[in-house]
């Protein structure tokens, strides 16, 4: 029989799959003999069974009763006992941290009777009634799906009527009044009284936590973070400890290092006389840990000691939640802390220097997405700026956009192409959609550990929080700056600096990040461009990580480049060649008429004349790219698109000529021929029509032109003492015979140029794998090919059987909502389908031709998750856009370390 419940003494930090992150880490802390309130965890297996069967699994209730009895025995109290009640929290906890995305209910077990017992035994009436109103409010919103604004409005109305500034001003009588009001809200909204059976409360709360796994905000967050939908959440039942028992009590969040910068020191927030949700909700601005030291030196010293122990134990920056109940410290959670990209790189290198991790592990502690964020532009320090106010810098970056005040505004304006800044008094988990759509987040309340700060850091969004100078009226759509006596409105443009906390009026010019300068111009130039020592430290950290990643990487990183400028930029960014040079891009713009001439030719002689006119242009293009990549391979793809892409649109041209005729203007013979050619070359599905190798077979002059241009360009550079390394790639191969024909034709041309120039030109000739048939017959094709390059964009289209341009707008969102996709297969490789074709083709190709070189040149070549897959599949190189080269280099190193570790673990288990 499946075991669904584990006490904290039965788990450890390595059981996150079963116990979730929170449960596994609570068990780990308990195992370290840290002060953890007694409790137990309901497993993710139970959650999955709940969704599979539509109800909690058989036997769960009995296991919960058994473990609850153990907690009651330990505490010497019974759940909800009228005289001395045991109260518990019911908390979510998935394998991967999803801050604020799922539900938690505190103070479970309080009833109309037990609240009196709690008041009596604690000697604190206010605390007891405050806890009861919190339970009804949280339970009503999260368990009974009552609009949370109904409860919040009741609090606001009471406080305004009595002239209170905040919740701490409320008296015991006020709280009793709120409890009565809240119970009336529950009765009105649900048709039933607030439940008075403590076990019923707990069971309902467990159900609610399970359901919250599939809440809209949780699904949005998982899609963004690429967390699988089938993991489920664990549920943690934990004895309540109370931070709202007076001035000797409180609650807080602490980090063992600054999650914004990565600097060592004392970082965290503390709220006196509060419960945990008050800190993350940002309803009051918090104190610092330095303030806690003055208030309660004993608890502060104990907390600092535990922080050090946990960081040493986890060997990483830790995020810790704690409560102090009348001078007694309790640990409620620990997890590896989310951090900004700058902090990630700094902390990784600090931990190397402190001997906690080695260089290989350090490169696994940072990600390509974080590196991308560091390469974003930053505000120009020399630009004229008008500072409106300053808040707490919570997540670095430079963000400019229109003020928006809710999810709908953010999404609609972003969909219209506008950059937006989400401005709120404070954020809550329901604001996730707006945060995803926004460039940055600005709040009037909250600290570095508030919801806005934590989620923004995890998402790489710029954030400034706790700007107390702001009065935000979300209904009126206004932002009043008290110190300036100035009012802004929704739609006005502001800029926020997540590094300094400054808020500026209007847009602010940006400049390249020193990290971008590092990749483009080198370490010395980046240090010279760094405005302060902190930035120089960051540049050094990036340099150390990248040096190690390059040293570990097995995959080469090439770039997709169609002109000398892109090739030179890619080389500066560290590309080891060009993996895709799309020659058709050289035929567009002013040169389009040359291809028209080829298409319109009536005779072979006319067609050859048109192709001959293109030869010097193509040769010049190749000389530029080969020279920019001198000594490195340049893979040139022969012409690929269907002919219609070089001709006018049929409808547009028909209308244009019809208008000319209607006006009595003459339609030229060429215009008539073009219209005829457009009609002749029109295809119902051109992406599966006359393109790629098929075009080269139908018009072999294209092969002659392009191979000759490649060969002559290479020969000319060799004569200059250069070392060009071109490779010829045939697109859209589906049959080995297609490859044989083009290969023989290309070899004949190379032999001619070699004879004409006296230079031996034995250039590699390979093909793209873009069709399932090519992947399935890779062994045969490999016998005629020197390299494979997987065109994963087309391979995805032809494997799934849909057109990217049509499908993404037509039904992809439905597929996300229905769970068919967790991420677009064009964004990250479909490992179970398309990926298996890649892996099997590599295996079959190399078995048939051990010297076969395999790479990928689709957009997946710059996607971190795809890069890890390609490394494991045995590819030899990846190719991506020039600006993604640094990210690909880092991920290639990370993939090598990860796959080494996986292989080592597998061997160790044999």
């Amino acid at each position: 029989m499946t075991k669904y419940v584990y006490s904290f003494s039965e788990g450890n930090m390595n059981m996150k799959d079963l116990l979730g992150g929170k449960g596994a880490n609570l068990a780990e802390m308990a195992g370290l003999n840290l002060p953890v309130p007694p409790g137990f965890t309901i497993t993710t297996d139970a959650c999955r069974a709940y969704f599979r069967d539509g109800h909690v699994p058989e036997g769960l209730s009995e296991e919960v009763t058994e473990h609850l009895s153990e907690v009651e025995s330990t505490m010497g109290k019974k759940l909800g006992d009228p005289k001395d009640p045991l109260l518990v929290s019911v908390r979510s906890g998935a394998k991967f941290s999803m801050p604020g995305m799922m539900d938690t209910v505190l103070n479970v077990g309080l009833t109309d009777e037990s609240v009196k017992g709690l008041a009596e035994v604690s000697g604190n009436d206010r605390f007891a009634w405050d806890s009861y109103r919190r339970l009804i409010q949280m339970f009503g919103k999260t368990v009974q799906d009552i609009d949370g604004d109904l409860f919040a409005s009741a609090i606001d109305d009471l406080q305004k009527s009595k002239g209170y500034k905040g919740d701490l001003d409320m008296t015991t009588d006020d709280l009793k009044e709120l409890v009565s009001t809240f119970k009336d809200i529950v009765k009105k909204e649900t048709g039933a009284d607030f439940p008075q059976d403590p076990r019923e409360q707990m069971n309902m709360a467990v159900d609610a936590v399970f359901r919250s796994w599939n809440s809209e905000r949780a699904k949005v967050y998982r899609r963004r973070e690429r967390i699988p939908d089938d993991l489920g959440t664990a549920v943690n039942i934990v004895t309540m400890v109370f931070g709202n028992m007076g001035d000797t009590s409180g609650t807080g969040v602490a980090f063992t290092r600054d999650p914004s910068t990565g600097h060592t020191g004392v970082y965290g927030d503390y709220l006196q006389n509060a419960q945990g949700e008050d800190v993350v909700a940002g309803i009051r601005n918090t104190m610092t840990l330095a303030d806690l030291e003055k208030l309660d030196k004993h608890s502060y010293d104990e907390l600092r000691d535990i922080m050090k122990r946990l960081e040493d134990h986890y060997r990483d920056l830790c995020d810790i939640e704690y409560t102090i109940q009348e001078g007694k410290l309790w640990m409620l959670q620990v997890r590896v802390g989310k951090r900004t990209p700058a902090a990630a790189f700094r902390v990784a290198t600090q931990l190397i220097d402190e001997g906690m991790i080695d260089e290989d592990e350090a490169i696994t502690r940072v990600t390509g997405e974080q590196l991308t964020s560091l390469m974003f532009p930053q505000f120009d320090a020399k630009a004229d700026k008008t500072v409106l106010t300053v808040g707490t810098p919570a997540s670095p970056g430079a963000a400019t956009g229109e003020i928006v005040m809710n999810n709908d505004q953010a999404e609609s304006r972003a969909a219209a192409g506008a950059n937006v800044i989400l401005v709120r008094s404070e954020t809550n988990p329901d604001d996730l959609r707006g945060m995803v759509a926004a460039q940055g987040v600005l709040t009037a309340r909250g600290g570095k550990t508030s919801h806005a700060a934590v989620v923004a850091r995890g998402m790489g969004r710029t954030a400034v929080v706790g700007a107390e100078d702001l009065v935000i009226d979300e209904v009126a759509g206004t932002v009043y700056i008290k110190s300036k006596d100035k009012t802004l409105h929704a739609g006005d443009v502001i800029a926020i600096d997540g590094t300094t906390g400054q808020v500026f009026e209007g847009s602010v010019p940006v400049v390249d990040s020193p990290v971008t300068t590092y990749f483009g111009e080198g370490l010395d130039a980046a240090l010279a461009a760094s405005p302060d020592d902190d930035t120089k430290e960051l540049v050094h950290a990036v340099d150390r990580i990248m040096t190690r990643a390059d040293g570990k990487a097995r995959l080469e990183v090439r770039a997709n480049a169609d002109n000398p400028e892109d090739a030179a930029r890619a080389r500066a960014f560290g590309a080891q060649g060009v993996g895709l040079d799309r020659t058709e891009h050289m035929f567009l713009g002013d040169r389009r008429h040359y291809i028209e001439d080829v298409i319109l030719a009536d005779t072979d002689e006319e067609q050859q004349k048109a192709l001959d006119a293109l030869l010097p242009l193509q040769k010049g293009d190749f000389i530029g790219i080969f020279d920019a990549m001198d000594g490195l391979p340049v893979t040139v793809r022969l012409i690929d698109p269907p002919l219609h892409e070089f001709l006018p649109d049929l409808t547009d041209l028909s209308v244009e000529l019809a208008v000319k005729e209607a006006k009595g203007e003459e339609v030229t013979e060429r215009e008539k021929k073009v219209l005829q050619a457009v009609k002749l070359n029109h295809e119902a599905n051109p992406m599966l029509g006359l393109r790629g190798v098929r075009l080269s077979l139908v018009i072999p002059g294209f092969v002659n032109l392009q191979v000759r241009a490649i060969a002559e360009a290479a020969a000319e550079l060799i004569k200059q003492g250069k070392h060009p390394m071109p490779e010829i790639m045939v697109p859209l191969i589906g049959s080995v015979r297609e490859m044989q024909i083009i290969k023989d034709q290309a070899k004949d041309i190379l032999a001619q140029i070699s004879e004409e120039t006296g230079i031996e030109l034995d250039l590699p000739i390979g093909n793209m794998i873009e069709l399932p048939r090519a992947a399935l017959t890779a062994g045969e094709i490999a016998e005629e090919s020197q390299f494979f390059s997987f065109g994963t964009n087309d391979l995805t289209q032809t494997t799934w059987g849909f057109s990217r341009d049509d499908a993404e707008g037509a039904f992809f969102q439905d597929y996300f909502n229905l769970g068919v996709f967790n991420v677009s297969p064009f964004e990250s490789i479909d490992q179970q389908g398309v990926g298996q074709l890649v892996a099997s083709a590599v295996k079959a190709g190399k078995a048939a031709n051990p010297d076969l070189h395999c790479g990928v040149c689709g957009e997946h070549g710059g996607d971190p998750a795809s890069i890890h897959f390609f490394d494991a599949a045995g590819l030899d190189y990846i190719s991506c856009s020039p600006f993604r080269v640094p990210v690909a280099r880092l991920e290639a190193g990370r993939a090598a370390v990860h796959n080494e570790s996986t292989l080592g673990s597998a061997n160790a288990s044999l």
Side-chain angles (χ1 to χ4, degrees):
M1 184 174 177
T2 302
K3 177 179 172 64
Y4 288 121
V5 183
Y6 287 73
S7 68
F8 292 161
S9 63
E10 296 177 285
N12 60 62
M13 64 189 287
N14 298 316
M15 297 175 68
K16 291 184 176 66
D17 285 333
L18 187 65
L19 304 180
K22 187 173 295 180
N25 288 325
L26 281 168
E28 189 73 14
M29 287 196 294
L32 293 172
N33 295 317
L34 298 181
V36 175
F40 53 90
T41 300
I42 301 172
T43 66
T44 56
D45 282 344
C47 181
R48 288 188 288 270
Y50 176 88
F51 284 113
R52 182 187 65 237
D53 303 332
H55 55 79
V56 296
E58 184 179 349
L60 176 61
S61 179
E62 291 77 8
E63 284 192 69
V64 168
T65 298
E66 177 186 343
H67 283 79
L68 179 61
S69 296
E70 292 177 4
V71 172
E72 290 174 331
S73 176
T74 299
M75 298 302 296
K77 300 179 180 184
K78 293 287 186 181
L79 180 68
D81 182 82
K83 294 184 178 180
D84 186 8
L86 170 71
L87 305 183
V88 297
S89 62
V90 180
R91 297 173 176 265
S92 60
K95 175 182 179 180
F96 299 106
S97 176
M98 296 172 56
M101 296 303 113
M102 291 180 293
D103 288 338
T104 287
V105 185
L106 306 182
N107 307 313
V108 171
L110 275 177
T111 64
D112 292 349
E113 293 302 315
S114 63
V115 68
K116 300 172 187 176
L118 182 63
E120 177 69 25
V121 75
S122 67
N124 189 333
D125 285 5
R126 187 189 185 285
F127 147 70
W129 287 95
D130 180 51
S131 299
Y132 196 21
R133 72 91 183 168
R134 289 172 182 270
L135 169 63
I136 301 172
Q137 184 175 1
M138 294 185 77
F139 194 94
K141 180 180 178 182
T142 62
V143 179
Q144 299 177 305
D145 295 323
I146 298 172
D147 184 355
D149 288 343
L150 296 175
F151 300 109
S153 295
I155 296 174
D156 289 342
D157 291 345
L158 184 147
Q159 292 182 357
K160 287 178 181 177
S161 70
K162 301 200 174 186
Y164 294 161
K165 294 181 178 179
D167 57 314
L168 292 183
D169 293 333
M170 292 189 292
T171 66
T172 301
D173 288 339
D174 293 330
L175 294 167
K176 288 180 178 180
E177 180 183 335
L178 274 181
V179 166
S180 178
T181 301
F182 285 2
K183 287 167 64 180
D184 289 342
I185 291 172
V186 170
K187 182 67 176 286
K188 179 181 178 181
E189 296 298 315
T190 68
D193 291 326
F194 181 77
Q196 295 297 306
D197 180 341
R199 181 60 188 269
E200 180 187 5
Q201 290 178 10
M202 190 173 81
N203 291 344
M204 291 175 69
V206 169
D207 272 18
V209 172
F210 282 157
R211 291 197 307 272
S212 71
W213 173 256
N214 276 338
S215 67
E216 185 59 30
R217 65 176 185 258
K219 289 191 287 189
V220 169
Y221 187 88
R222 288 201 297 274
R223 281 200 298 268
R224 175 178 170 75
E225 299 297 318
R226 301 185 184 180
I227 297 172
D229 285 328
D230 59 359
L231 296 181
T233 181
V235 182
N236 301 286
I237 312 293
V238 188
T239 300
M240 278 297 301
V241 289
F242 301 98
N244 59 328
M245 292 188 73
D247 289 345
T248 60
S249 301
T251 189
V253 177
F255 294 89
T256 56
R257 299 171 195 242
D258 188 337
S260 293
T261 66
H263 294 315
T264 56
V266 180
Y267 297 95
D269 293 331
Y270 179 69
L271 267 182
Q272 270 185 299
N273 199 14
Q275 288 197 331
E277 76 272 17
D278 298 336
V279 178
V280 295
I283 62 172
R284 278 192 272 146
N285 284 342
T286 56
M287 300 178 179
T288 65
L289 290 189
D291 296 322
L292 173 61
E293 183 178 19
K294 298 173 185 175
L295 291 170
D296 185 348
K297 183 71 162 58
H298 174 76
S299 295
Y300 171 84
D301 289 341
E302 185 180 4
L303 176 64
R304 291 285 288 141
D305 177 65
I306 289 173
M307 289 168 65
K308 179 67 168 63
R309 288 181 62 189
L310 288 173
E311 182 171 89
D312 289 347
H313 186 71
Y314 282 85
R315 300 181 305 118
D316 207 345
L317 182 160
C318 290
D319 172 357
I320 296 163
E321 294 181 15
Y322 63 94
T323 283
I324 298 172
Q325 177 178 317
E326 295 185 313
K328 166 64 176 173
L329 176 68
W330 293 95
M331 305 304 295
L332 304 184
Q333 177 168 296
V334 63
R335 58 190 173 196
V336 171
K338 291 187 178 294
R339 64 207 72 182
T340 65
F345 277 82
R346 283 198 184 98
V347 170
T349 53
Q350 288 168 2
L351 295 177
I352 297 172
D353 295 338
E354 293 168 22
M356 289 195 192
I357 62 176
D358 60 23
E359 289 183 326
D360 285 359
E361 187 168 358
I363 64 176
T364 69
R365 297 290 185 89
V366 297
T367 68
E369 186 174 2
Q370 289 168 335
L371 181 58
T372 299
S373 295
L374 292 181
M375 296 176 70
F376 288 162
Q378 55 189 227
F379 289 137
D380 185 352
K382 299 176 182 178
D384 292 333
K385 299 181 285 289
T386 300
V387 178
L388 292 172
T389 190
V390 179
T392 300
S395 184
T400 298
E402 299 176 6
I403 293 172
V404 293
M405 296 188 164
N406 57 52
N407 289 340
D408 291 341
Q409 288 178 11
E411 290 183 328
S412 64
R413 291 302 299 143
N419 290 334
V420 299
I421 305 293
L422 181 65
V423 181
R424 303 277 284 162
S425 295
E426 71 271 339
T427 66
N428 63 59
D430 292 328
D431 292 317
L432 180 65
R433 290 191 294 117
M435 296 179 74
V436 169
Q439 302 297 306
V441 181
L442 171 64
T443 70
R445 296 197 287 268
K448 283 190 175 183
T449 57
S450 65
H451 173 269
V454 172
V455 175
R457 279 196 295 271
M459 292 169 53
R461 287 289 186 274
T462 299
V464 174
V465 300
E468 297 177 315
D469 196 28
L470 303 181
V471 178
I472 298 169
D473 188 332
E474 292 154 14
V475 176
T478 59
V479 180
Y480 177 65
I481 302 100
K482 292 180 285 187
S483 63
K484 304 286 186 182
D485 191 23
K486 184 179 183 67
T487 301
L488 301 178
H489 301 82
D492 290 343
V493 174
I494 60 173
I496 61 174
D497 189 328
T499 302
T500 66
Q502 292 174 303
V503 181
F504 305 105
E505 185 173 10
S507 60
V508 177
V510 295
V511 295
D512 281 345
S513 157
V515 174
T516 301
T517 303
Y518 163 75
F519 285 110
E521 302 177 38
L523 179 60
D524 290 342
L527 294 175
S530 299
D532 51 48
D533 289 342
D534 271 1
T535 308
K536 291 179 181 178
E537 180 187 35
L538 173 61
V539 170
H540 276 297
V542 171
D543 179 59
R544 291 179 66 183
I545 294 292
M546 292 304 302
T547 299
R548 186 60 178 178
D550 288 339
K552 290 298 297 185
R554 187 191 62 79
L555 287 169
E556 292 180 4
V557 177
R558 301 184 187 180
N560 302 337
D562 308 326
N563 55 65
E565 294 75 23
D566 281 351
R569 183 180 296 112
R571 184 165 192 155
F573 279 180
Q576 296 163 284
V578 170
L580 176 62
D581 175 11
R582 292 161 286 209
T583 54
E584 63 271 6
H585 286 191
M586 302 171 182
F587 297 148
L588 300 177
D590 294 339
R591 302 182 184 180
R592 186 185 295 270
H593 71 277
Y594 289 102
I595 298 295
E596 281 190 5
D597 291 343
V598 174
I599 298 169
L600 299 178
D602 292 323
T603 65
D604 291 344
E605 291 76 14
E606 287 181 6
Q607 187 178 83
Q608 189 58 51
K609 181 179 178 181
L611 290 168
D612 289 344
L614 276 169
L615 179 61
L617 301 175
Q618 280 266 275
K619 177 180 174 181
D621 293 330
F622 292 138
I623 286 174
I625 293 178
F626 297 166
D627 192 27
M629 279 289 171
D630 190 48
L632 295 174
V634 176
T635 304
V636 181
R637 183 178 71 185
L638 301 182
I639 190 167
D640 181 45
L643 290 178
H644 83 275
E645 290 196 9
F646 303 104
L647 294 169
D649 177 76
L650 175 59
T651 301
D652 291 346
L653 182 61
S654 298
V655 171
E656 179 186 339
L657 298 187
V659 170
K660 287 186 73 173
E661 288 181 338
K663 290 180 177 181
E665 298 175 7
E666 182 183 0
V667 177
T668 67
E669 286 303 313
R670 183 179 178 89
E671 287 173 331
K672 293 177 182 178
K673 288 186 69 174
V674 170
L675 180 59
Q676 182 181 6
V678 170
K679 291 179 178 178
L680 182 65
N681 287 283
H682 178 73
E683 295 177 297
N685 192 344
M687 297 311 292
L688 295 178
L690 183 59
R691 56 167 292 218
V693 67
R694 303 158 193 168
L695 188 57
S696 294
L697 291 173
V698 171
I699 307 178
F702 277 130
V703 178
N704 296 338
L705 161 71
Q706 295 193 294
V707 175
R708 176 171 285 275
I710 292 167
E712 289 185 0
E716 184 169 319
L717 288 171
I718 291 171
K719 287 179 180 179
Q720 297 174 16
K722 303 292 180 63
H723 300 87
M725 297 176 61
E727 302 175 342
I728 299 169
M729 183 163 69
V730 186
L732 213 70
I733 286 289
S735 159
V736 67
R737 181 59 185 147
E738 293 171 324
M739 186 62 193
Q740 288 170 341
I741 295 169
I742 300 300
K743 177 184 174 183
D744 290 346
Q745 186 179 352
K747 281 189 168 295
D748 287 344
I749 299 165
L750 292 175
Q752 291 174 24
I753 306 303
S754 294
E755 186 174 344
E756 292 171 9
T757 62
I759 295 174
E760 184 66 27
L761 294 169
D762 185 18
L763 306 185
I765 302 174
N767 65 279
M768 296 189 74
I769 302 288
E770 303 166 274
L771 301 173
R773 191 182 192 283
L776 294 170
T777 60
E780 293 179 27
I781 297 173
E783 294 177 359
E784 299 292 335
S785 187
Q786 290 171 273
F787 64 87
F788 285 168
S789 181
F790 291 87
T792 50
N793 297 338
D794 275 349
L795 187 57
T796 297
Q797 291 190 106
T798 54
T799 300
W800 277 92
F802 49 53
S803 162
R804 175 176 185 171
D805 293 338
D806 296 327
E808 286 189 320
F811 60 83
F812 266 31
Q813 190 57 55
D814 293 325
Y815 269 37
F816 288 130
N817 295 338
L818 293 169
V820 179
F821 295 152
N822 195 44
V823 62
S824 167
F826 293 107
E827 181 182 340
S828 191
I829 193 78
D830 161 30
Q831 297 186 18
Q832 287 72 40
V834 179
Q836 293 309 304
L837 287 175
V838 173
S840 64
V842 171
K843 183 177 180 181
K846 292 196 171 188
N849 178 1
D851 296 326
L852 188 75
H853 207 56
C854 295
V856 62
C857 62
E859 291 181 23
H860 298 104
D863 171 62
S866 302
I867 292 170
H868 286 242
F869 175 82
F870 295 141
D871 185 86
L875 269 71
D876 301 297
Y877 72 87
I878 50 179
S879 189
C880 58
S881 72
F883 288 103
R884 294 292 290 177
V885 166
V887 171
R889 288 168 52 197
L890 174 60
E891 290 296 344
R894 295 181 71 237
V897 172
H898 176 266
N899 289 327
E900 276 183 9
S901 174
T902 302
L903 181 62
S905 298
N907 290 337
S909 65
L910 295 178

